[in-house]
Amino acid sequence: MPAVSKGDGMRGLAVFISDIRNCKSKEAEIKRINKELANIRSKFKGDKALDGYSKKKYVCKLLFIFLLGHDIDFGHMEAVNLLSSNKYTEKQIGYLFISVLVNSNSELIRLINNAIKNDLSSRNPTFMCLALHCIANVGSREMAEAFAGEIPRILVAGDTMDSVKQSAALCLLRLYKASPDLVLMGEWTSRVVHLLNDQHMGVVTAAISLITCLSSKNPDEFKTCVSLAVSRLSRIVSSASTDLQDYTYYFVPAPWLSCKLLRLLQCYPPPEDGAVKGRLVECLETILNKAQEPPKSKKVQHSNAKNAILFEAISLIIHYDSEPNLLVRACNQLGQFLQHRETNLRYLALESMCTLASSEFSHEAVKTHIETVINALKTERDVSVRQRAADLLYAMCDRSNAKQIVAEMLSYLETADYSIREEMVLKVAILAEKYAVDYSWYVDTILNLIRIAGDYVSEEVWYRVIQIVINRDDVQGYAAKTVFEALQAPACHENMVKVGGYILGEFGNLIAGDPRSSPLVQFNLLHSKFHLCSVPTRALLLSAYIKFINLFPETKATIQEVLRSDSQIRNSDVELQQRAVEYLKLSSIASTDVLATVLEEMPPFPERESSILAKLKKKKGPGAVSVELEDGKERGELNGGGDRGGDAAIAASNASTPSPSADLLGLRSAAPVSGVAPSAGSLLVDVFSEAGPAASSAGVNDDGFLSSTPPSAASEDPAPPLPESDELLNKFVCKNNGVLFENQLLQIGIKSEYRQNLGRMYLFYGNKTSVQFVSFSTTVSCPGELQSQLNVQTKTVEPLVEGGAQVQQVINIECLTDFIDAPLLNIKFRYGGALQNISLKLPVTINKFFQPTEMAAADFFQRWKQLSQPQQEAQKIFKASHGMDTEVLKAKLLGLGTALLENVDPNPENYVCAGVIQTKAQQVGCLLRLEPNAQAQPGEQMYRLTLRSSKDTVSQRVCDLLAEQF
Amino acid sequence: MIGGLFIYNHKGEVLISRVYRDDIGRNAVDAFRVNVIHARQQVRSPVTNIARTSFFHVKRSNIWLAAVTKQNVNAAMVFEFLYKMCDVMASYFGKISEENIKNNFVLIYELLDEILDFGYPQNSETGSLKTFITQQGIKGQHQTKEEQSQITSQVTGQIGWRREGIKYRRNELFLDVLESVNLLMSPQGQVLSAHVSGRVVMKSYLSGMPECKFGMNDKIIIDKAGKGGVTNEAGKSDLGGGGSTSGKQSIAIDDCTFNQCVRLSKFDSERSISFIPPDGEYELMRYRTTKDIILPFRVIPLVREVGRTKLEVKVVIKSNFKPSLLAQKIEVRIPTPLNTSGVQVICMKGKAKYKASENAIVWKIKRMAGMKESQISAEIELLPTNDKKKWARPPISMNFEVPFAPSGLKVRYLKVFESKLNYSDHDVIKWVRYIGRSGIYETRC
C-alpha cells in the first residue's frame, strides 16, 4: 500500500482523531462521536453531492468510529460509491470499509459484487489485487457464488501479473475453505499444478498452499504435482544460499516454500517413477547433510528455518516409511537433538521419534537412544517434554527392553507429575502385560504399581490382574504369596486390598500349608483392613470370607462370628447387610457339598480385548496411536478377559433387589447363586425367598400343578395353557422380575425390561434334577389377532440341559398396537424318556409399555375432562382381596408403570396416576383413579377403579388387569 | 475497616495514596486502575471486588476517590465517609479538580490523617477541623497553651462539633429546605413512580452554646398534638387556632437521618428535634417522602412518525403551582433518534436547540410562572439506515427549580435557647428558604 502522501492526508480526519485522543473521559468521547455522527449524517443526507475526497474522509471517520467499538448503521452506500472511483486511495478506503463492515444480507451485496467484477476485469493490477483481497477478506457464501468461477480463470490466464496471481491463488484458497462445494474442479486444475514451475517464487508459494488444500480432498486430480514438486524442491535444495536473492532467509534458501513442498509431498505415497524417487531421496539426503554442516549464522532465525525444513523432511521420511537408510539417519539426527539446549527442539525430537519407533526399519535405531530418553524423563524441567519422553519410552518398548523400561517408568512414577500419572499407570500396566514372559514378574510389577500409585490405578488395571491370575494356573500360588506379603505392609492401598481379598479368597488354599500364612492368619490379615475400606471393597471382602469358609472349614466359626456381628448384619448399607445375612444363612444351613458347589473356584474368563487398552484408547493419549497399530499382532499373546456380567448375575429370587454398589466380575451377591439351580433346590429357595414373596408363592403352586400335568404331558402338540397361567400372569402385572413357574423338575425365572414400545425378556430355565433334559425346546406363539399386535422374537436354546444347570433365553418384544391376550410359551423336553409339555402365558401385558407422565393437578383434571366420552372410560367396583396398606398400593401402582401423582386428588385417600402407553402405531394417554373406602370393616372394603384413556380397548384391558391386583 | 484511600485523575494516575493497613499492598492501586478506570466496559457498580479486595469508589467530575478494604465493612459507612471527605475537601479548597488536589496535597494528607485513624472514621466536621488544620500552617506561636488544651478537650469531649466561647454581634440563623423531586410518568399522564428526597441545611452564627429546637409539619407529631393534647409552648404559638390534623398541612415522612448533633434519644421518645448546632454550615437532616407530592410540571408529549424519514414531535409543558410563584432554570430534554440528520424547532417561549453530541433537543426557559403552559414543536429528519432496529424512544426529561417544597414540608418553628448568655429567641434573626429542584423527572413518550 503506498503511503498516504502529505498533500493527500485528510486533515478533518486527523483533527477528529486527535480530538478523541484528547478526550478526558469516556463520556466526552461519546459526545464527540455523537456530534461527528450527526455531522456525517447531515452531510450524507443526499441533497448535496459530495466530492470523492470528502466522501472518503467521512467513510474513514465512520470506519474509525466503528473500530472504536460503536455501531455504524449508515454510510454503506457512500462506501460502495467509492468503489467506482478511479483514485487508488478512494477505492482502497471503500474496499476497507466493505471488508470490515459489510453485512451479507443487504441488497448492497449486488452493487458491491458489481464493482468487484468491474475491477477484476479492469486489467489494472492494483485494482484487481484490491478486489481479490476484498473477496478473500469477506469470504462470504454470496461472494463465493459470484466469483468462484472467475478467480480460477484469472489465476491460470497467461497474461496475468505475478502479484495478481499470488492474490488470486490465496483468494481461491480462502473461498475453497469457506465453501468447498462452490469451487468446482475444472480444466483449470491441471494448469494450477503447472504454477509450481512458475518463475516467480511468490506465485509458487501461494499456489502450493492452494494445491495442498485442494489435493487433500481430491488427491487423484493433482497427482502430477508430485514430480513437479520434487523437481522444484531439488532446485531449491541444491541452490546456493545466494541464488534466490529475495527468498533467502538468514542464509536458508526459501524455507517456507521448502516446508510447504515437503508437506504437499506428505499427501501422497512415495513416487513410483524411479527417477523422481531417486531425485527426492537425493533431496532428503541433502537436507539431512545440511543439518550436519556448521551453521552459517549464529542467529536463532537461521537455525529455526533450517530445523523447520529438517523436521518436515523427517516427517516425510516417516510418512514414506520405505527407506531404511533415511529412517536411520533421521533417527540419528533426532538423537542429536535430544540433548540440544533448546527445549522446543527436544520436544519435537521426542515427538518425531515416537512415530519413528513404530516403523520396523528404525525401531532398532530408536532403541539405541533409550538411555538418553530415560535421562530426559528424569531430569527434564518441562513437563510437556517429560510427557513426550514417557510416550516415546512406551513406543520403543519391546520384549528385549521391556523389563528395563517398565522398571524405569515405575521408579519415575513415584515422582511423576499428577497430570500424567494415570496415563503412566495404564502404560506400565499394558507394557507389563504385553511383554510378560514370566507371569510372576507381571504380578510383581502390577502389585508394585498399585503400591506406588494406588490412587491412579483405575479399576480396569486390577480387574486385569485378577483375570490373568485366574486364567493362568502357574502363577496362582505365586500371586497368593505375593499378595499376602504385600498386605502385610502397615498401610496399603484399597486397590491392593481388593486384589488381595479376591486372590486369597480364590487361591488362599495354595499357601495355607505354610504356618506363617495359615488360614486364620490370612483371614485376620484381610479383616484387619476391612474397617478402613469403602463399601464396595467391604462387599468384596465379605465374598472372600464366605469363600474362606468353603476353603478352610476350620475358619467357619470365626467368620460366622464376624458375619453375625451387628456391624455386618445390621449394616446401614443394604448391599453389605444382605451379603452378611445371606452368607451367614448359607454357611449355617447348606451342607458342605452344597457349599463346595456354590463357592466353587471361578471358571477361567473368556478371551477378550484387554480392558486397559480400551481405556487408554479412550484417553486418546498421543502415544496410544502406536498401540492401536500393534495390538492386532500382540493379541494372541495373552489370555483375554472381561467382565462376566450377564449369565452369572441372574437368579430370579434376588434380582428384585438391585444392588446399589456394583462390583467386579459378577461377584455381586449373585455369585453363589449362579449355582443355585442344582439338586437341593427347595432348601436354597428357602434361603432366598426372603428377598421376594414371589418365590415362595411359586413354590406353593407346585403341588397343584403336579397333579394336573402328567397326563397331558405325553402329546407332542403344545399343551393348552395351564389353568393357573392366568393367575401367574396377574402376578407379573406390577413387577418385571421373579419366578414364573416352578415344579419338581423345572424352574423358570423371568427378568424383563421395557423401554417405550420395546421390551426384552430373559427366561432362565433351571433343571432342578440331576438328570439331563434332552430335546429341550421352547416356542413362543401369539394366538389369533395377537400376531398383528405384538412382534415377538426368540433365540433358540440348546436342546440339552444338564442336570443342575440353568439355560438362558432372550426374547425381544415389540408392541405394534394395543393388545389384550398374552403370548403363549410352550416348553417341551424329555426327562427320563417321558415327554414333558408345558404351556404358560408369558407375562407380557399392555401396561408394560407405560411411560410414566408427571403432571400438575390442573393438567390432570383438564385431561380427565377431555376424556369424558362414555367409551373412553372403564370403571370397576370390586372387593379388596388383600389389605389396604398404603405403601403396598403405591408400590403396585408404580409397578404398573404409571407415574403416581401426589397432591392431585382433593381426597388424599385416593390415588391418581398418569402414563402413556407406547406402541409402534400410536401412543395412548391413560389416566387412572383408584378410590378405596378404607373406613369400611375389613372384609367389606371396596375399591372403585376408574380408567380413562384415548382408546376404549385400552381402558377396558388395563382396568381388568388392575382389578385383579388389589 | 477502610484499609486505604486513593485518589486518581481521569487517566488513572494516582494523585493521593494513603494506606492505613498492612493488608493493602501497592498492587491494589493498579488493580483498581486496570479493572475499573480503564475497564473495557464502563463499570457501573460503585463497589468492585478484585482478588478479595473491595473497592468503593465515587467520582467527582473527573476525579476518582476509591476506598479499599480487605474486610467485610459496612458499605454505607464507607460511602458516607467518602461523601463527607468530598464535603471537607470542597470546604477547604472549593471545587474538587485535579489541579486543586495537586496544589493542596499536603493539606489533604493532613486531613486524611485526622479524619481516618487506622481506617476508622473520626471527626469529619468541617467547622471543628478548621480550627486545627489550616491552610496557613500551624498558628502555634499565636496560640496560648489554654487554647491548645481547649482544642484537645473539644475534640475528645462530648460535643466535638462546637467549641466554646463563640461570640457574634448579630445572632443569625439561615435555614434552607432543599428538595429534589423524582418522577416517572406514562405518556397518558399516569404517575408510575414519584418520590421526594429532601435535606434541611442550616447556617448558624450564634453565640455561646445554644440549644435549638426544630419543628415541622410531621404527621406523627401533629396527630399526637391533636389527639393527646400534649402541647408544648412552641406548638401552641405556631399552630394558632386549629385545623391541626388536616391532610394538607401535615406530611408523612418515610424515613429520615440526622446530623450527629441531634439528640436521637429525644427524637425517639418525643419525636422532637433538639440539638446544639455546629458553627457555620451543616446539614441538619435528610428525609424522603412518597405520598401527596406536588408535581410542579406536567409534560405532555406527542410524537408522530411520518414515513421512514421524518418525525414530528410536539411537547407541551404545564406549570402546576400558585401563579404568584416563579419557576427558574427550566430545561426540557427531548431525545432524538440515532439516525437524525436534521432538526427544525419552533417554540413560543425560551430557546431550543438540537444538540447532536447528546442526541437530544434541549429547550431552555429562564422563568415561568405558575398555572401557565408553553409548547414546542420540532420536525426531525431521519437518514434511512439498513438497521432494522426500532428506536427505543427514551423518556423526555426535565430540569427546573421552584421556590417551594414539593413534598409539602413546612417549617413550624425553630427555637433557640441560650441560658448563659443574655440573648433570647426573639433576638435571633432567622431566615427560611424553600427550594425544590428536579431530580430524575421523566415522562415517557
Side-chain angles (χ1 to χ4, degrees), chain A residues 798-837:
Chain A
E798 289 291 322
L800 271 185
V801 183
E802 290 296 336
Q806 194 183 44
V807 293
Q808 180 194 352
Q809 186 179 26
V810 184
I811 301 177
N812 288 321
I813 302 154
E814 187 187 14
C815 178
L816 301 173
T817 177
D818 63 304
F819 59 94
I820 291 171
D821 257 331
L824 290 177
L825 170 70
N826 181 253
I827 306 146
K828 281 187 223 152
F829 58 92
R830 282 182 185 279
Y831 168 64
L835 179 73
Q836 305 286 328
N837 190 347

Side-chain angles (χ1 to χ4, degrees), chain B residues 178-182 199 329 400-402 404 406 435-439 441:
Chain B
L178 305 173
E179 295 195 336
S180 75
V181 52
N182 299 287
R199 306 191 296 147
K329 300 179 190 166
F400 53 80
E401 211 178 286
V402 287
F404 61 92
I435 301 174
R437 293 201 179 94
S438 57
Y441 200 87

Side-chain angles (χ1 to χ4, degrees), chain A residues 106-145:
Chain A
S106 70
E107 62 266 33
L108 284 175
I109 280 289
R110 213 164 33 82
L111 292 173
I112 295 168
N113 282 353
N114 219 5
I116 291 177
K117 215 163 253 166
N118 285 339
D119 279 341
L120 284 183
S121 54
S122 70
R123 301 265 140 241
N124 179 336
T126 335
F127 291 177
M128 287 173 88
C129 280
L130 274 179
L132 286 169
H133 295 167
C134 179
I135 297 170
N137 277 334
V138 176
S140 66
R141 215 174 156 73
E142 290 77 14
M143 289 265 179
E145 268 164 14

